[in-house]
Amino acid sequence: SYKLGLSVILVGDKQDSIFYVNSIKKYCERLNIKWDIPSRLPEATLPALTLQPLVENAIYHGIEPLPEGGEIAIIIICRDEKLNIQIRNPISAQMKESSRQGNQMAIENIRERMLLAFSGAADMRVEAEKEQYTVTLEIPTNGLENGK
């Protein structure tokens, strides 16, 4: 079973991710961030270390290899008792040619934590299109399976 001590409220994780991105952004002028987040979020709980590693991966794998930089989009949509969280970044030529196992390990770790936390009620999708890499999390707004 998943322990509540290993979870965070989405609002807190969002604030940690914003702090992380802002601290990196001052060192990286090539990074643009598009935030599309409702001003009020419903109460939702995520496993700890969910959003921040996804944002970090988007910077490391999507922006860093591009000489001109690029944009990361962080989008949260509230729909039908679920939150849809998307993190999008450009796909570099280097990313297309390489499997870069570190990224897949982080993705698999997050997928496993979500499975344990939500007992299958959440979903995680990874899509690599021509020019864009998107990770989508769909989580219930009623919190962790064993957490409330």
Side-chain angles (χ1 to χ4, degrees):
S1 71
Y2 204 79
K3 295 180 179 147
L4 185 57
L6 300 176
S7 64
V8 293
I9 301 297
L10 177 60
V11 172
D13 205 15
K14 178 187 96 171
Q15 290 167 340
D16 289 345
S17 294
I18 290 170
F19 176 79
Y20 174 77
V21 167
N22 286 338
S23 66
I24 295 247
K25 191 166 172 52
K26 67 183 174 186
Y27 299 108
C28 180
E29 293 181 7
R30 300 177 304 124
L31 172 63
N32 295 313
I33 304 290
K34 175 188 172 191
W35 299 96
D36 189 358
I37 300 174
S39 57
R40 292 181 45 102
L41 290 170
E43 186 172 320
T45 309
L46 287 171
L49 292 174
T50 299
L51 290 182
Q52 187 267 335
L54 292 174
V55 171
E56 186 174 305
N57 278 346
I59 293 168
Y60 178 72
H61 295 283
I63 304 301
E64 187 179 309
L66 298 173
E68 71 281 5
E71 179 178 88
I72 293 173
I74 301 168
I75 302 160
I76 299 179
I77 300 167
C78 305
R79 189 181 304 150
D80 300 328
E81 302 288 322
K82 291 200 177 216
L83 282 180
N84 184 291
I85 304 168
Q86 291 185 349
I87 294 144
R88 299 178 185 165
N89 60 270
I91 296 178
S92 66
Q94 179 182 358
M95 190 174 179
K96 289 178 187 174
E97 294 169 7
S98 157
S99 64
R100 294 190 80 171
Q101 290 302 310
N103 184 32
Q104 294 306 315
M105 182 184 295
I107 296 289
E108 290 308 315
N109 287 341
I110 292 167
R111 182 175 275 126
E112 185 175 321
R113 283 195 298 272
M114 287 184 54
L115 178 64
L116 290 170
F118 296 105
S119 300
D123 188 30
M124 178 176 178
R125 293 182 305 282
V126 176
E127 299 169 88
E129 297 173 356
K130 244 184 168 168
E131 304 293 322
Q132 183 171 277
Y133 187 86
T134 304
V135 176
T136 303
L137 307 175
E138 190 173 87
I139 61 168
T141 56
N142 59 354
L144 297 173
E145 181 72 22
N146 299 312
K148 290 194 173 194

